[in-house]
């Protein structure tokens, strides 16, 4: 795994510490970053965050019934690792740390077998409680007590995920038959150990052991070092509630995100969707995933719109701590509405297509441009292939340059591209506009430029991680949603930053040149929440 050294230039009295933090510590951890970390502002404009990708210790048989004592013995093994990471992070001045979903208790339980692993959760909005200082106030809260004391020892905010229980009465119409709610819960502790807030996962992913809360939690917590943070969990990222509704609060500039995400290429690898969310909303996104390569679980990061520090490792079986400086007010990508400077020829061509001859946009696959546009439009064959369990309509991307168009239902996707050399690989431009129904039901509009698994059309949509083909491109589509997530992934699970992402003439577009390695996926992934 490549180790990237970075140089941080900072002014102020603590520049030596900042240089160590960015230049040495992140590099020593083997964390990937897209570009040199050059900070020219005062440390007061940043905070220090950590996320931990945890190689969890699992119960041998999650279906077996165990005692509370046995459950605590297992969970304490994972909590011991958490505490080690907190103390390492504390030495580096970390102010907030995030741990993954299911990292303490594991997964694949039944409703009955998970019960000994659950802590009782009093409402932080009704009860002010510091479990480290008041350990005997509530019974069955041993996990909360340990997490609270870790926050105190590390002098940092701490975000973790655990299973919780809440008794309910038979006159409650939503009360399960066993007389209790069981929730997949994130908890937030302040640096003095106080339970600040909790979030109960709303969009469960085949989690028979847990209930979805009857009312969606919209949790925003405040910090003294960076203002407001939002919080949600794993599968929630694909739905309007709570994720999108939270970010309607313009003061929320940061999200903490425990997850147990199984990667699915070419469109939904963990680091892909994490980074896309940060870019789409112009926020910082602190994501901690489980590390379990045999289940396809890896991919954590500290993402901002302009750069990311991330970890993706399918080879080794060990946890991984990422520490980075994070801007309190993240800067967004340059879109067309605030772009300045000279327009390069490829972007001029793109704008000319959008503003010019209607035949260039609307004449099905046979496109004839007038004198205003003097480049040829390729007319390759249309084919269909399965991608992400959906039936995509695609066209092959041939030649060193071209302009392609492919449509499905109401969505048309366009690609204007050049490449220095044509690699011995098949690439395709694909479109999907429909209801996704496998492993969840949700409506997707997607335009995707992907490297295929082989040279046959039927390999387009397969999961691959290595590529050599380099492109300079504009990718755009006539989306009927404003919720578009830009995905840009290159060889070796490397994240890239788009040159531009935004809207032009009612088209969402993504622009990139100068890729660092071969293109795996470039996509605009749109969600129509109202059609789920």
């Amino acid at each position: 795994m490549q180790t990237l050294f970075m140089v941080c230039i900072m002014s102020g009295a603590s520049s030596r510490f900042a240089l160590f933090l960015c230049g040495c510590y992140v590099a020593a951890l083997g964390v990937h970053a897209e570009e040199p970390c050059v900070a020219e502002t005062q440390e007061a404009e940043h905070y220090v965050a950590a996320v931990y990708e945890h190689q969890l210790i699992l119960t041998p048989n999650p279906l077996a019934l165990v005692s509370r004592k046995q459950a605590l013995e297992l969970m304490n093994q994972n909590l011991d690792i958490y505490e080690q990471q907190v103390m390492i992070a504390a030495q580096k001045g970390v102010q907030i740390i995030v741990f993954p979903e299911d990292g303490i208790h594991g997964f694949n339980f039944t409703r009955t077998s998970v019960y000994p692993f659950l802590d009782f959760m009093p409402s932080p909005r009704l009860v002010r409680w510091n479990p480290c200082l008041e350990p005997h106030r509530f019974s069955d809260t041993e996990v909360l007590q340990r997490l609270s004391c870790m926050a105190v020892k590390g002098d940092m905010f701490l975000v973790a995920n655990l299973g919780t229980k809440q008794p309910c009465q038979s006159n409650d119409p939503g009360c399960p038959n066993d007389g209790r709610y069981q929730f997949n819960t994130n908890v937030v502790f302040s640096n003095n150990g106080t339970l600040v807030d909790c979030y109960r996962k709303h969009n469960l992913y085949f989690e028979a052991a847990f209930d979805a809360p009857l009312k969606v939690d919209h949790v925003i917590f405040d910090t003294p070092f960076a203002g407001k943070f939002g919080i949600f969990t794993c599968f929630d990222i694909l739905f309007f509630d709570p994720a999108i509704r939270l970010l309607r609060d313009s003061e929320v500039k940061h999200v903490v995100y425990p997850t147990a995400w199984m990667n699915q290429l070419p469109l939904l690898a963990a680091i892909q969707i994490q980074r896309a969310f940060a870019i789409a909303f112009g926020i910082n996104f602190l994501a901690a995933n489980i590390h379990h390569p045999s289940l396809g679980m890896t991919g954590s990061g500290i993402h901002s719109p302009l750069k990311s520090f991330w970890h993706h490792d399918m080879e080794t079986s060990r946890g991984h701590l990422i520490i980075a400086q994070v801007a309190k007010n993240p800067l967004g990508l340059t879109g067309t509405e605030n772009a300045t400077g000279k327009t390069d020829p490829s972007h001029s061509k793109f704008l000319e297509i959008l503003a010019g001859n209607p035949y260039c946009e609307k004449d099905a696959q046979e496109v004839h441009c007038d004198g205003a546009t003097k480049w040829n439009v390729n007319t390759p064959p249309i084919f269909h292939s399965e991608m992400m369990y959906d039936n995509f309509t695609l066209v092959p991307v041939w030649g060193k340059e071209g302009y392609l168009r492919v449509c499905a239902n109401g969505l048309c996707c366009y690609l204007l591209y050049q490449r220095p050399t044509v690699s011995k690989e098949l690439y395709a431009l694909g479109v999907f506009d429909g209801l996704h129904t496998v492993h969840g039901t949700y409506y997707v509009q997607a335009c995707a430029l992907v490297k295929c698994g082989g040279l046959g059309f039927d390999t387009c949509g397969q999961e691959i991680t290595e590529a050599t083909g380099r492109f300079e491109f504009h990718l755009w589509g006539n989306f009927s949603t404003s919720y578009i997530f830009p995905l840009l992934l290159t060889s070796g699970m490397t994240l890239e930053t788009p040159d531009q992402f935004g809207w032009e003439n009612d088209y969402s577009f993504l622009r990139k040149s100068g890729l660092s390695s071969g293109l795996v996926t470039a996509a605009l992934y749109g969600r129509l929440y109202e059609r789920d």
Side-chain angles (χ1 to χ4, degrees), residues 227-290:
K228 291 185 177 181
F229 283 71
I231 184 169
F232 48 87
T233 310
C234 201
F235 202 39
D236 286 329
I237 199 171
L238 293 181
F239 297 91
F240 186 84
D241 269 320
I244 307 303
R245 197 181 299 276
L246 267 184
L247 292 166
R248 287 182 163 183
D249 185 332
S250 61
E251 292 185 20
V252 176
K253 302 293 186 185
H254 322 271
V255 166
V256 289
Y257 178 68
T259 185
W261 189 277
M262 291 177 283
N263 290 291
Q264 189 179 2
L265 290 163
L267 301 183
L268 287 180
I271 58 173
Q272 262 183 313
I273 190 64
Q274 294 163 14
R275 180 66 192 288
F277 208 89
I279 294 172
F281 288 99
I283 58 168
N284 296 317
F285 199 80
L286 283 54
N289 198 4
I290 289 291

Side-chain angles (χ1 to χ4, degrees), residues 363-404:
D363 190 12
Q365 295 300 318
E366 295 186 9
V367 183
H368 308 283
C369 296
D370 64 10
T373 50
K374 304 215 181 274
W375 54 92
N376 293 324
V377 178
N378 297 340
T379 57
I382 300 173
F383 64 97
H384 293 85
S385 187
E386 185 178 281
M387 188 188 307
M388 310 292 296
Y389 302 104
D390 295 320
N391 184 29
F392 271 69
T393 304
L394 304 104
V395 291
V397 179
W398 290 335
K400 288 185 69 173
E401 61 181 11
Y403 166 43
L404 293 169

Side-chain angles (χ1 to χ4, degrees), residues 125 181 183 199-202 212-218 241:
R125 300 186 180 190
Y181 290 108
F183 296 119
Y199 165 74
R200 301 167 301 175
K201 186 178 181 182
H202 181 64
L214 300 179
K215 184 180 178 183
V216 183
D217 292 343
H218 296 102
D241 269 320

